[in-house]
Amino acid sequence: MSIIIASLSFVGYSVFGVPHAFLLAILTGLFGILPIFGVWMVYVPVAASMYFQGNTFAAAGIMIFGVLVLTIFVPFILQPYLGAKKSGVSALTILLGFFSGPVIFGAKGLLLGPILLVITETIIVEYMRYRISGHENFVPEKES
């Protein structure tokens, strides 16, 4: 995910003419790994710098790009989709876990929410497969 974040941020920084776009993209990717900080620690100062240099259009573009793509699209849509595709679990389950986990469990719910929902979904799916296959009526024969 860090490489995807770095690539997307490089494109965004380059489009809006940010100097040292490659270096800033690498920093954005690295901050994307850190759960406490996040990518906003890079694109907000870059936008502020562009604003104070007098380039209001670039500052607004970087902020809009940062919020919509780097802060919303990547962690809430792309990451659950890729994680679900790789693990074979529904992307909706992972997304609901990211939203409901912190509400139910607080800060540790960011980690617990998706895990518990994936476990619950797996149990339900496996139980349904077991019931559909007809094993609930299986009675072993006694050998004479």
Side-chain angles (χ1 to χ4, degrees):
M1 286 312 299
S2 166
I3 294 171
I4 293 172
I5 290 172
S7 302
L8 288 173
S9 61
F10 177 71
V11 170
Y13 295 149
S14 297
V15 165
F16 292 108
V18 175
H20 311 293
F22 185 71
L23 176 65
L24 291 170
I26 291 173
L27 282 174
T28 307
L30 290 175
F31 273 93
I33 295 172
L34 304 173
I36 295 173
F37 299 110
V39 294
W40 63 270
M41 293 279 292
V42 179
Y43 73 76
V44 169
V46 168
S49 170
M50 295 302 283
Y51 178 76
F52 288 122
Q53 290 175 5
N55 197 344
T56 309
F57 174 75
I62 291 169
M63 283 301 295
I64 291 170
F65 175 79
V67 170
L68 292 179
V69 174
L70 300 177
T71 305
I72 295 175
F73 175 73
V74 171
F76 293 123
I77 296 171
L78 188 63
Q79 192 170 2
Y81 174 74
L82 293 177
K85 190 174 181 182
K86 189 168 188 167
S87 66
V89 182
S90 170
L92 183 61
T93 303
I94 295 174
L95 186 62
L96 287 175
F98 278 124
F99 284 123
S100 64
V103 172
I104 296 170
F105 299 110
K108 59 186 170 193
L110 283 172
L111 182 63
L112 286 176
I115 292 172
L116 291 176
L117 277 179
V118 166
I119 290 171
T120 304
E121 180 191 17
T122 304
I123 290 171
I124 290 170
V125 167
E126 290 302 317
Y127 180 72
M128 288 172 53
R129 285 183 187 158
Y130 175 78
R131 293 285 297 200
I132 289 172
S133 68
H135 289 290
E136 75 278 0
N137 295 327
F138 179 72
V139 178
E141 296 179 19
K142 291 185 179 180
E143 291 185 27
S144 308

